[in-house]
Amino acid sequence: VQLQASGGGFVEAGGSLRLSCTASGSIADINAMSWYRQAPGRQREFVASVPTIGSTSAADSVKGRFTISRDNAKGTLTLQMNKLKPEDTGVYYCHAVVRLPGNQYNDFWGRGTQVTVSS
């Protein structure tokens, strides 16, 4: 199973970016999908998540600015980031809990995509 993230880049404060993550491989089902980020010198932190069915959740620092969504049919995860701030700078990682053939559950991480917000 692979998670391929894309859409990072450089943007000025107040701007927008849209991140995407696509899951591929031998997948029976995908449970929760999430975005995490890691700023230089800091630990990886939770950004937002979306279950297969139900309500999304997000860190307080991004509520009202970031929107997470998924397309279950395509196995894709999206993070729309608006009103970006310099403190949003970091490497963004997608994460998924996957049910593999044989009913084994594993979690997977994408490689990450860099987001840089200038002040």
Side-chain angles (χ1 to χ4, degrees):
V1 175
Q2 290 188 333
L3 300 178
Q4 182 65 47
S6 62
F10 181 93
V11 65
E12 293 184 349
S16 299
L17 284 173
R18 185 180 181 91
L19 305 184
S20 296
C21 178
T22 301
S24 62
S26 184
I27 298 171
D29 192 17
I30 303 175
N31 287 9
M33 301 186 79
S34 306
W35 289 99
Y36 287 75
R37 67 186 180 188
Q38 187 166 17
R42 301 187 65 177
Q43 290 187 337
R44 192 173 298 187
E45 64 176 7
F46 170 77
V47 175
S49 68
V50 54
T52 306
I53 300 174
S55 301
T56 63
S57 60
D60 288 342
S61 59
V62 306
K63 284 181 180 177
R65 301 187 298 121
F66 292 10
T67 302
I68 189 171
S69 60
R70 63 188 286 176
D71 184 326
N72 291 329
K74 297 181 179 179
T76 58
L77 177 69
T78 300
L79 185 69
Q80 178 65 44
M81 305 186 294
N82 299 328
K83 301 178 182 179
L84 282 160
K85 303 176 181 180
E87 51 263 44
D88 294 319
T89 294
V91 179
Y92 282 68
Y93 299 89
C94 62
H95 174 268
V97 176
V98 175
R99 181 168 64 89
L100 304 174
N103 282 334
Q104 177 182 358
Y105 287 84
N106 278 350
D107 68 310
F108 296 90
W109 291 92
R111 283 193 174 183
T113 183
Q114 177 70 45
V115 171
T116 303
V117 185
S118 67
S119 57

